[in-house]
Amino acid sequence: MDRIIECVPNFSEGRDPATVQALVDAVASVRTVRLLDRTMDRDHHRSVLTFIGDPEAVVEAAFRAIRAATDLIDLRRHSGVHPRVGATDVVPFVPIRGVTMQDCARLARQLGKRVGRELAIPVFLYERAASHPDHAPLETVRRGGLEGLAFRMASDPDWIPDFGPPRLHETAGAIVIGARPPLIAFNVNLMTQDLEVAKSIAGTIRQSNGGVPHLKAIGVPLASRGMVQVAMNLTDFHVTPLHIAFEAVEAQASLKGVPLAGSEIVGLVPQEALMAAAEDSLRLEGFDRAQVLESRISAALARGGPDERVESRTRPEELAQCSFSELLEAVATATPNPAGGAVAALVSALSASLGIMGTRLSRQRTIEDHLLKIRSRLSELAQEDGKAYRHFVDAARRPISDSERPAAISSSLHLATEIPLEIAERASEAGRLLRDVLKQVKPPVQSDLNVGVMLMCAGAEAALHTAKANLKIQPNQRLKEAIHKRVLQAGTLLEELKGLCYTPRPNPRASTVGPAQASPGKAQNRKVWKSKSSITTSKKRSRSPRKNSRGKGSSGS
């Protein structure tokens, strides 16, 4: 992997394992992305994922996680000690290898535009991607919480979001997306329950109050542990290393007569940062050398596959490498994998190839590129469908006494619904593109493209059927309701595509020869493909003396 981007999204959920697992699954659904780490904290009511990959794959994984968080997290029911303005609170991109900070800023804008357009969530760009100087520091966007941000958006022209609507999303709030250097989340715990002590120390040492350079700090309670914490972000560990931040807290706590309970690192940390401070001098609690960023990246790349915690959900079935006869036999084996969802994706991908043929014959390069991307994604989804099925089987095989079984089943069903739902969405999108190609190709090719659109309709409808079937047995009612909205939208897109492709047959006369005579009512509702072959059929099969009034029309209309 020559170009590597790191993404570290923070989500406002730290208490529901099933929701956090759904976020992990959303990231893992992008085959080339490597999940490096996941953390969740009950007191902060916050989870953090860390993943890497090539730029475009990382952006796609980030969007899928944001979409899942939007479906599952309702800020109206959220309470936690960590400041936040969104269900997906902040999404930073960090350059790791072969990319620049400018590349990361471009990706932040690309993701922000899509989030604003497709999810209707206001997006503010921060740090190196900020378009307005007041938005660059993350703390200024969060100032006053949701209420403060809503007030600024409504009253100050400088606080119109970079993308999306000029008002908060009802359940997801807003999202802050940006580009930044590596950051270390470092916390020091105090052996006291006096929150004012932690707030006072944080206020003294933070840079904004004239304290330690490149250090952000807040004081928060840890109710589950019966203590308070100075939570810090080191934005440039080269200037302010870990041990300096630790000693700053220690000195202030000593003045107040409060002992330290220890310290902790949230997420991953650059190896270089640890070289400046010995582990034991920092009294790290539960630190694992696998948390070193470079070590985890090297291990993931050496395996040539994803992290072991998500390996079973990201290893492809390699259907793309099967010969045609092998593919037929793979589907025919006496196991339900690969099955309906994979077949729907493969049929749709094959139909996309017919469209690509048409674009190359008619030199429609823009549509060709779009169809190539859709075909590639459909091919991936065909493989991921089998992975999702195995994931569900593994969850269902857990003992009934296993307390994590319901969450595992819910999470696996979420993935098993998302995949065929995306197949339906992509197939409907490709079907519209094929209709556009039809307008430019010569008549001999139109029949082939009509076959492609008909199969695309079938693939979308089959995938939607699978999604509905899996959604029906989803035990998580809130998740079920959230996904149901997308199912309805996908159904609308499919019906619109069918409307472009089919038109009602004129009412037949009673004397019409053939099956229509036996059931006139059904004949009236029968639909016929609008192709040249259907328009230029033999002039008359009816015994009626009336002449055929149908004109030839235009091919492929």
Side-chain angles (χ1 to χ4, degrees):
M1 195 180 297
D2 297 325
R3 304 176 71 223
I4 300 177
I5 294 281
E6 179 191 32
C7 186
V8 195
N10 290 223
F11 302 95
S12 297
E13 177 55 67
R15 299 169 187 170
D16 183 3
T19 296
V20 176
Q21 185 60 51
L23 301 175
V24 170
D25 290 340
V27 170
S29 67
V30 180
R31 184 165 55 90
T32 56
V33 165
R34 313 287 198 265
L35 178 68
L36 302 182
D37 192 69
R38 57 188 285 186
T39 65
M40 59 184 294
D41 187 285
R42 183 174 187 80
D43 294 305
H44 286 249
H45 204 353
R46 193 173 186 82
S47 61
V48 180
L49 305 185
T50 305
F51 54 92
I52 61 165
D54 65 81
E56 295 305 320
V58 167
V59 170
E60 178 64 24
F63 177 80
R64 294 185 191 184
I66 292 170
R67 185 172 63 189
T70 304
D71 288 342
L72 297 172
I73 301 173
D74 188 344
L75 282 187
R76 295 173 299 182
R77 301 187 181 95
H78 182 277
S79 62
V81 299
H82 200 290
R84 82 286 184 273
V85 293
T88 303
D89 185 49
V90 58
V91 182
F93 292 107
V94 182
I96 299 295
R97 179 192 299 170
V99 292
T100 65
M101 191 65 72
Q102 289 73 24
D103 293 328
C104 290
R106 176 183 58 80
L107 295 174
R109 290 190 291 271
Q110 177 183 328
L111 176 63
K113 184 177 181 180
R114 186 178 178 189
V115 168
R117 182 182 68 247
E118 298 187 24
L119 303 181
I121 301 175
V123 176
F124 293 90
L125 299 175
Y126 86 113
E127 285 285 352
R128 305 295 178 85
S131 59
H132 193 287
D134 288 347
H135 303 175
L138 181 58
E139 58 269 25
T140 63
V141 183
R142 288 182 179 150
R143 185 177 298 128
L146 277 170
E147 296 77 9
L149 180 58
F151 175 79
R152 291 192 296 276
M153 291 171 66
S155 61
D156 190 342
D158 287 340
W159 281 92
I160 295 175
D162 294 282
F163 303 102
R167 67 192 66 83
L168 296 177
H169 187 281
E170 183 180 7
T171 60
I175 298 181
V176 190
I177 301 176
R180 62 162 174 76
L183 174 149
I184 302 175
F186 178 51
N187 304 329
V188 178
N189 301 328
L190 310 178
M191 293 183 65
T192 178
Q193 296 187 43
D194 189 344
L195 181 58
E196 293 305 315
V197 171
K199 288 183 174 180
S200 175
I201 294 175
T204 300
I205 67 173
R206 70 170 69 107
Q207 178 182 348
S208 60
N209 288 347
V212 181
H214 300 286
L215 178 65
K216 300 179 180 182
I218 58 174
V220 298
L222 301 179
S224 67
R225 291 184 254 181
M227 60 180 69
V228 296
Q229 180 183 84
V230 179
M232 297 175 285
N233 281 344
L234 278 62
T235 58
D236 190 338
F237 65 86
H238 296 98
V239 177
T240 299
L242 283 167
H243 68 278
I244 295 298
F246 180 84
E247 291 168 1
V249 176
E250 185 177 41
Q252 292 299 315
S254 178
L255 292 175
K256 299 179 182 299
V258 176
L260 304 186
S263 63
E264 61 187 21
I265 288 176
V266 180
L268 305 185
V269 56
Q271 188 174 26
E272 185 181 353
L274 290 182
M275 294 172 63
E279 294 177 40
D280 52 357
S281 70
L282 297 177
R283 307 175 205 169
L284 291 176
E285 294 180 356
F287 182 76
D288 186 342
R289 288 184 178 273
Q291 289 179 252
V292 177
L293 175 64
E294 288 85 351
S295 298
R296 191 69 66 84
I297 291 175
S298 298
L301 296 180
R303 282 193 302 270
D307 186 84
E308 65 269 18
R309 286 175 294 185
V310 294
E311 186 170 1
S312 64
R313 294 190 298 277
T314 54
R315 180 176 291 164
E317 291 292 317
E318 303 303 340
L319 293 177
Q321 297 180 9
C322 292
S323 66
F324 182 67
S325 59
E326 289 172 339
L327 181 60
L328 293 178
E329 187 56 34
V331 175
T333 54
T335 63
N337 181 26
V343 170
L346 290 170
V347 167
S348 300
L350 193 59
S351 303
S353 292
L354 284 173
I356 293 168
M357 173 195 70
T359 61
R360 290 171 175 172
L361 289 172
S362 55
R363 299 185 180 183
Q364 300 180 64
R365 184 60 184 274
T366 301
I367 300 181
E368 177 190 347
D369 291 342
H370 201 167
L371 284 173
L372 282 168
K373 291 179 180 178
I374 294 176
R375 185 183 68 177
S376 176
R377 180 57 188 155
L378 286 168
S379 179
E380 291 177 356
L381 289 168
Q383 301 172 74
E384 292 174 8
D385 183 72
K387 165 197 68 180
Y389 175 78
R390 290 198 315 275
H391 186 33
F392 171 72
V393 170
D394 291 342
R397 285 176 176 171
R398 291 190 178 199
I400 299 296
S401 58
D402 187 344
S403 61
E404 296 184 359
R405 185 176 185 270
I409 289 178
S410 175
S411 176
S412 63
L413 281 172
H414 184 204
L415 186 63
T417 305
E418 285 277 357
I419 289 173
L421 186 52
E422 185 178 351
I423 293 171
E425 293 168 343
R426 300 284 179 137
S428 294
E429 180 185 5
R432 284 174 173 75
L433 292 173
L434 261 68
R435 288 293 296 168
D436 291 338
V437 177
L438 262 170
K439 301 172 185 177
Q440 303 296 328
V441 298
K442 295 180 179 180
V445 184
Q446 290 176 357
S447 177
D448 298 310
L449 294 189
N450 277 329
V451 169
V453 185
M454 284 189 282
L455 290 178
M456 203 68 81
C457 286
E461 189 159 17
L464 194 57
H465 168 79
T466 301
K468 290 178 180 178
N470 292 338
L471 186 62
K472 188 175 181 180
I473 58 175
Q474 170 62 250
N476 187 325
Q477 190 61 34
R478 187 156 62 90
L479 177 59
K480 190 173 184 177
E481 292 172 357
I483 298 179
H484 183 63
K485 297 176 182 178
R486 282 186 61 203
V487 170
L488 292 177
Q489 292 172 352
T492 300
L493 292 175
L494 175 59
E495 291 305 315
E496 291 174 354
L497 178 60
K498 288 180 178 179
L500 292 175
C501 304
Y502 295 93
T503 186
R505 181 195 294 267
N507 292 343
R509 294 178 56 84
S511 60
T512 301
V513 176
Q517 283 183 322
S519 181
K522 290 185 179 179
Q524 291 176 8
N525 293 325
R526 182 174 302 161
K527 296 179 179 180
V528 60
W529 188 257
K530 292 173 64 179
S531 67
K532 184 177 181 181
S533 60
S534 68
I535 296 174
T536 58
T537 53
S538 58
K539 284 193 174 182
K540 195 160 113 169
R541 295 184 181 179
S542 171
R543 296 180 181 178
S544 169
R546 294 181 61 185
K547 293 184 178 180
N548 189 343
S549 60
R550 295 175 63 188
K552 289 187 177 181
S554 58
S555 299
S557 61

